[in-house]
Structures are given as C-alpha cells and as structure tokens.
C-alpha cells in the first residue's frame, strides 16, 4: 500500500475505528489491517488480555474496551467508552454461534444472548455511531454476516436468522447512507479459519475443507468498503446475487442444511 492510499483511507474512515469482536480471528485481522492503514483502533471483546496483547502490537493509537456485547446495555457502554473519540468506521464482527447444535439443544438464555449480541447491540451500535458519521458526511460501517443468512437450515436456526437480520440491516443502511458519504458493507463470510470455528469443528468432529484466511478477508473487506451494499467473500462475483437465490426455497433450505451438516459428524 502506498503512503497516498494509506492517508486517503485514514482520511475517509479515521481517525478512529471501532472493531467489535477484535480479540481473535477476522476481527483481530481487521484491527491489524486498520493499523497498517493508519487508523486508530478501539478493540472490543470480552477477553481483555488478548485485546491488550493486540493493542501492544499495533502501530497506531488504541483503546481496549472489555465488554460483553450480549449485555442489555452493551451499545450504551461502548458509546460512553468512546464518547471522546471521533469514530469514522465501525466494524461489527462478533457474531458466531458457540453451540452449532439444533434449535432445541440450545439453552434459551444462550439464544437470548445471541439475539442481543447479533441484533439488538448491532442495531443500537449502528444508530449511535451512524448518526455522527451521516452528519459529518463521511465514514464507514461493516457488518459481518454469513452464508447462513441466505436461507433457513438445520443447526443454524437462530444464528442464521440473526445473520439475515445483519445482512438486511446493512443493505438498508447502505441504501439510506451512501448518498450521504457513508459506506456500508454487509460482509458475507463462508467457512473461515478462526479459533471459534476451530472449536466447533473439534467439538463436533466435522470439516469444511479449505477455510478462508482471516488476513485475506480483512484486506479484501477494507479494499472494498465502498463497493456495498454487500460483499460475498471468496465468490467469483462478490457483489452478485445470493448463490441460493435461484433455487426453490425448499431446495435452498435442504442445501444449506447439508452445508451445516459438514460440521456435525456426530449427529
Ligand atoms: N468463522 C467462520 O467460519 C464464519 C463463517 C461465516 C460467518 N462468520 C462470521 O464472522 C464473524 C466472526 O466469527 P468468528 O468465527 O471469528 O467467531 P466469534 O465467536 O464471533 O468471535 C469473533 C470475536 O468476537 C468476540 N466476541 C464473541 N462474542 C462476544 C461477546 N458476547 N461480547 C464481546 N465480544 C464477543 C470474540 O472475542 P471474546 O471471546 O474475547 O469476547 C472474538 O474476538 C461472526 O460475525 C460470524 O457470524 C464466521
């Protein structure tokens, strides 16, 4: 990356970015890539020690905010922890399903937490951080979503529903904000090599074959921040149609269920 590109990225999306879900995987890779692009980073996740380690290695200013994004007041806490900063970019990355089981196997409290983290906190974060960006006439928002958003499927009931929420929310905000100078991207990921996915695969004995590399995802996502409303990582036509969109709904649901079964050699 040339110095000019680095400066113009930081001018468009700096001086501060918030990465929600930054302690490992794609979130940590995005934070590192933002640091390379000269944007200061607020690192948010539950594991403070990992965030502090990451902060120490970034070549920019950082702030560590240890926070459970499933908490009722998470967006409010995040807003007050960053109230003195000019935030030009928000990346909401936290969002995987820690269980990977069927709907009825998941404790109802965990499902409530999933909805709060992936829907309520995401929505409130967009509202709080989006308003000043729109007023300023510049900025960016990335909501990380999933191929599980394309259709229903077994083992992804509530998770897929939250990811569909994030996809539609991001696309809608793109429609409302891009003319105001704020770039919004729904970043649609397939199987990606993160500690969270590795834990699920180890637990269930499944395999997804080749996994996307979080560092590659981070570079591509930030390179294409202005190419919304959505970016399907790893697809030949990343701005194209939903890959299941042409199928009858039943076939789409069966195909998606076969995909999630790859993680479940134990079922
Ligand atoms: N990995 C894949 O194969 C895959 C596929 C499709 C889509 N995605 C999407 O990619 C994103 C990242 O997924 P991932 O596999 O890296 O797993 P993840 O479990 O979402 O973890 C990513 C980060 O989020 C943080 N996090 C999770 N729950 C949190 C909470 N309640 N409060 C605060 N921080 C929290 C984790 O740190 P702490 O544990 O320290 O809090 C970690 O830093 C998600 O939105 C997921 O839906 C992933």
């Amino acid at each position: 990356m040339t110095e000019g590109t680095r400066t113009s990225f930081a001018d468009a999306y700096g001086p501060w970015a918030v990465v929600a879900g930054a302690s490992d995987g794609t979130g940590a890779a995005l934070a590192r890539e933002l640091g390379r692009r000269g944007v200061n980073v607020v690192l948010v996740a539950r594991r403070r020690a990992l965030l502090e380690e990451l902060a120490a290695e970034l070549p920019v200013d950082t702030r560590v905010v240890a926070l459970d994004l499933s908490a009722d007041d998470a967006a409010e806490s995040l807003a007050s922890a960053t109230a003195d900063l000019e935030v030009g970019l928000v990346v909401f990355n936290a969002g995987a399903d820690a269980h990977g089981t069927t709907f009825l196997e998941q404790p109802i409290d965990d499902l409530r937490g999933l909805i709060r983290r992936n829907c309520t906190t995401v929505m409130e974060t967009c509202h709080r951080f989006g308003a000043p960006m729109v007023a300023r006439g510049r900025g960016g928002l990335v909501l990380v979503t999933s191929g599980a958003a394309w259709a229903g499927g077994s083992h992804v009931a509530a998770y897929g529903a939250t990811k569909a929420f994030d996809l539609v929310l991001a696309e809608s905000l793109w429609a409302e904000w891009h003319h105001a100078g704020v770039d919004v991207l729904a970043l649609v990921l397939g199987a990606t090599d993160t500690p969270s996915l590795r834990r699920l695969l180890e637990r269930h004995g499944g395999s997804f074959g080749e996994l996307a590399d979080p560092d590659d995802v981070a570079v591509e996502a930030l390179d294409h921040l202005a190419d919304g409303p959505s970016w399907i990582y790893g697809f030949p036509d990343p701005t194209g149609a939903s890959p299941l969109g042409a199928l009858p709904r039943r076939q789409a649901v069966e195909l998606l269920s076969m995909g999630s079964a790859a993680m479940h050699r134990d079922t």
Side-chain angles (χ1 to χ4, degrees):
M1 176 179 301
T2 66
E3 188 51 36
T5 322
R6 190 173 180 272
T7 314
S8 65
F9 187 92
D11 285 346
Y13 304 113
W16 283 87
V18 170
V19 180
S23 62
D24 64 22
T26 318
L30 280 155
R32 285 194 189 92
E33 188 54 29
L34 285 165
R36 277 191 279 274
R37 293 175 192 227
V39 177
N40 304 318
V41 193
V42 179
L43 302 162
V44 187
R46 291 164 298 186
R47 290 169 293 171
R48 178 184 290 280
L50 286 184
L51 297 177
E52 283 172 351
E53 248 173 63
L54 176 59
E57 84 180 58
L58 298 187
V60 286
D61 289 343
T62 55
R63 180 172 294 176
V64 164
V65 179
L67 182 64
D68 182 353
L69 293 161
S70 303
D72 281 334
D73 59 351
E76 210 177 303
S77 305
L78 181 56
S80 42
T82 55
D84 57 324
L85 305 179
E86 184 180 322
V87 174
L89 176 67
V90 171
V91 179
F92 208 107
N93 169 68
D97 172 16
H99 290 283
T101 56
T102 61
F103 181 65
L104 291 178
E105 284 171 312
Q106 301 205 7
I108 193 67
D109 280 345
D110 290 14
L111 289 168
R112 283 198 194 98
L114 182 77
I115 303 287
R116 276 198 302 272
R117 185 194 57 188
N118 288 11
C119 301
T120 314
T121 305
V122 173
M123 182 193 64
E124 290 185 18
T125 301
C126 293
H127 205 266
R128 283 169 180 277
F129 289 90
M133 287 187 217
V134 170
R136 245 178 253 136
R138 65 172 194 88
L141 171 71
V142 179
L143 301 188
V144 180
T145 178
S146 162
W150 299 133
S154 67
H155 294 80
V156 292
Y159 169 70
T162 67
K163 293 284 126 178
F165 178 94
D166 296 335
L167 175 68
V168 173
L169 180 64
E171 292 191 334
S172 305
L173 296 181
W174 176 89
E176 294 187 4
W177 295 352
H178 79 283
H179 291 304
V182 178
D183 295 323
V184 184
L185 194 68
L187 176 62
V188 187
L189 299 186
T192 305
D193 192 357
T194 65
S196 183
L197 181 70
R198 293 245 166 215
R199 281 193 294 273
L200 274 186
L201 292 176
E202 270 163 34
R203 190 177 318 149
H204 298 296
S207 158
F208 274 126
E210 205 183 326
L211 302 175
D213 179 335
D215 293 336
D216 297 340
V217 171
V219 171
E220 193 170 302
L222 297 185
D223 280 351
H224 292 281
L225 243 172
D227 295 327
S230 21
W231 188 267
I232 314 171
Y233 182 81
F235 272 66
D237 181 10
T239 56
S242 147
L244 304 183
L247 299 177
R249 294 299 296 182
R250 182 183 291 187
Q251 218 177 314
V253 171
E254 284 169 354
L255 207 64
L256 207 126
S257 301
M258 277 168 61
S260 54
M263 194 161 52
H264 293 273
R265 296 293 171 236
D266 58 345
T267 56

